[in-house]
Amino acid sequence: MITSIFLDASQWCRGLFKGTVHAFSTSTIKSLTALDMAASGALPVVDLAPFFAGDEGGIARATEAVRDACRTHGFFRAINHGVPAELMARALELSATFFALPDEEKAKSRPAEGSKAPLPAGYARQPANSADKNEYVLVFDPKLGFNVYPAEPAGFREVVEECFGKLRELGLLIQEILNECMCPPLGFLKDFNSDRSFDFMVALRYFPATEEENNGLSKHEDGNCITFVFQDDVGGLEVLKDGDWVPAQPVDGSIIVNIGDVIQVMSNNKLKSATHRVVRKPVHRHSFAFFFTIHGDKWVEPLPEFTAKIGEAPRYRGFLYSEYQALRMKNKTHPPSRPEDVIHITHYAI
């Protein structure tokens, strides 16, 4: 089954991705694996090159590597993923230039009044009383007309929009791989998650740590399906694994991939939406995060492949995705006084 499915998928991918791909050599791949596995529980490395080459054996091995990574870590480092390294580097360079502008200049790119975007598109920074210390520019699919772009630096809009398109294409590939990992009918996830209008991307700058505190982004799990992160060389992203915080070390040209709560619920906890955070460093940190997500009107529940068909009880009750997103947003807008009252996906646990 896997050979026939991913032989077709590899042909589909070759037509989907265009442009320069950052190619990692065999020796580099071995070095990356050694780097990420040097510490106990560190991030697995998955080489996606077989999907572009039509290598049946390589596709099967890469799919199994994704399955294992999602079971044990919920995170992995993707290499040879189809997003040009030069494009990611340019995006980081331009975002750093933008964030270095005076506050009054950045404020010109704040979200438009009365926008119908699902989230405010444009520039913002965390409130002064927030535990998270960062500023960001949020964008949706350019075709939707929600985005507010800065006038400077030149080229910012074009590069960001190209990144958005490439990461969305990568999301479609990873979704197909997850479909094989989860074993529902062929194309199930593609049909279930066909509306791409809720995908969004964020360019972020984290402020330098102080002597008093270093929190950049509080520990959390992602509520969506799949998240991609590419970052500068500062570091700070950490993943919780077996009670220890594992750093997602910066590696030029690679992309950090993690699955979110939707996939964890659908897999009935077989695949893991991992807790992660960003710890600030003595200097500014720049990164991009792309959120591949589903429409709010989708009903989310464990799939039969992980419950009735294998004789296991569902671990979650079904829910409307928009309801869960509203609860997560309330965590931000009206933070509970007690940490145990923060809404997580366990809210729907049985």
Side-chain angles (χ1 to χ4, degrees), residues 173-251:
L173 171 59
I174 298 298
Q175 180 172 259
E176 288 297 307
I177 297 172
L178 288 175
N179 197 102
E180 179 64 15
C181 293
M182 298 168 70
C183 298
L186 176 62
F188 170 81
L189 286 179
K190 181 180 178 182
D191 293 339
F192 175 76
N193 188 22
S194 60
D195 187 342
R196 302 267 49 84
S197 61
F198 279 69
D199 297 341
F200 65 97
M201 184 172 75
V202 186
L204 293 130
R205 180 170 84 155
Y206 293 87
F207 302 117
T210 67
E211 292 183 0
E212 290 75 27
E213 52 85 31
N214 65 354
N215 184 67
L217 188 62
S218 302
K219 65 178 183 178
H220 66 285
E221 301 80 38
D222 290 348
N224 58 316
C225 294
I226 309 163
T227 303
F228 303 118
V229 172
F230 65 89
Q231 57 186 324
D232 62 16
D233 60 359
V234 172
L237 176 61
E238 297 181 347
V239 181
L240 189 62
K241 174 71 167 65
D242 298 330
D244 295 321
W245 288 104
V246 177
Q249 300 286 4
V251 175

Side-chain angles (χ1 to χ4, degrees), residues 221 324 327-328 331 336 339-348:
E221 301 80 38
Y324 180 44
L327 292 172
R328 284 175 60 93
N331 288 340
E340 58 266 32
D341 292 333
V342 173
I343 296 295
H344 299 280
I345 196 61
T346 51
H347 177 74
Y348 297 102

Side-chain angles (χ1 to χ4, degrees), residues 73-147:
H73 292 72
F75 272 72
F76 61 92
R77 184 188 306 282
I79 58 174
N80 294 323
H81 41 64
V83 183
E86 297 83 358
L87 176 63
M88 295 189 290
R90 182 61 176 156
L92 289 166
E93 177 186 0
L94 290 172
S95 69
T97 301
F98 168 73
F99 287 123
L101 294 173
D103 287 346
E104 57 269 23
E105 286 298 317
K106 291 183 285 190
K108 295 177 182 178
S109 304
R110 288 193 178 278
E113 293 289 338
S115 172
K116 295 182 180 180
L119 295 169
Y123 168 76
R125 67 189 298 167
Q126 300 292 348
N129 62 350
S130 172
D132 299 335
K133 304 298 181 185
N134 59 70
E135 57 185 338
Y136 56 91
V137 176
L138 188 150
V139 298
F140 287 93
D141 184 338
K143 296 178 182 178
L144 299 176
F146 295 143
N147 298 335

Side-chain angles (χ1 to χ4, degrees), residues 83 88 162-172 201 228 230 255 288-290 292:
V83 183
M88 295 189 290
E162 186 176 357
C163 273
F164 190 99
K166 291 294 185 183
L167 290 167
R168 169 177 284 178
E169 291 170 356
L170 180 58
L172 293 171
M201 184 172 75
F228 303 118
F230 65 89
I255 292 177
F288 277 76
F290 183 95
F292 191 85

